[in-house]
């Protein structure tokens, strides 16, 4: 992969992307610390969620469906609004 295609893949030069990622990691770290959330707690929560799904069997499918609908209630309207706003920018 050439340097130009690598930069295009990253969206900017590697140095700038690295600086942005370092800054964003710091900001997210401060926010997570302020909320008293730790990465291992998040990982443990994910593992517990997967174990509960496994243990519940077919009942889990219904719960997954409700999670899907709950998320879609937020995600779909936000997506529609963002798409509508981006239509105005293309002109």
């Amino acid at each position: 992969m050439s340097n130009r295609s690598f930069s295009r893949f990253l969206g900017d030069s590697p140095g700038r992307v690295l600086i942005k990622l370092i800054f964003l990691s710091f900001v997210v770290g401060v926010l997570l610390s302020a909320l008293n959330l730790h990465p291992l707690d998040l990982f443990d929560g994910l593992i517990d969620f997967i174990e509960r799904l496994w243990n519940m069997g077919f009942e889990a499918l219904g719960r997954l469906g409700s999670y899907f609908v709950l998320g879609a209630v937020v995600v779909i309207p936000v997506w529609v609004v963002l798409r509508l706003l981006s239509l105005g920018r293309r002109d």
Side-chain angles (χ1 to χ4, degrees), residues 32 35-49:
L32 288 175
L35 296 172
N36 200 23
L37 295 173
H38 301 282
L40 289 179
D41 294 339
L42 297 173
F43 182 73
D44 289 339
L46 177 65
I47 296 298
D48 290 341
F49 173 72

Side-chain angles (χ1 to χ4, degrees), residues 2 10-11 16 21-22 29 38-39 43 46 51-52 55:
S2 71
L10 291 176
R16 291 178 115 175
L21 288 174
I22 289 170
H38 301 282
F43 182 73
L46 177 65
E51 286 177 355
R52 281 195 318 262
N55 292 333

Side-chain angles (χ1 to χ4, degrees), residues 44-68:
D44 289 339
L46 177 65
I47 296 298
D48 290 341
F49 173 72
I50 292 171
E51 286 177 355
R52 281 195 318 262
L53 288 178
W54 182 264
N55 292 333
M56 286 190 294
F58 287 108
E59 183 183 334
L61 294 177
R63 183 165 279 184
L64 273 176
S66 67
Y67 288 155
F68 173 74

Side-chain angles (χ1 to χ4, degrees), residues 19-38:
I19 290 171
K20 289 177 187 178
L21 288 174
I22 289 170
F23 177 74
L24 188 59
S25 295
F26 178 74
V27 170
V28 169
V30 168
L31 287 173
L32 288 175
S33 179
L35 296 172
N36 200 23
L37 295 173
H38 301 282

Side-chain angles (χ1 to χ4, degrees), residues 5-21:
S5 61
F6 186 65
S7 292
R8 188 173 55 203
F9 170 74
L10 291 176
D12 207 346
S13 69
R16 291 178 115 175
V17 170
L18 182 64
I19 290 171
K20 289 177 187 178
L21 288 174

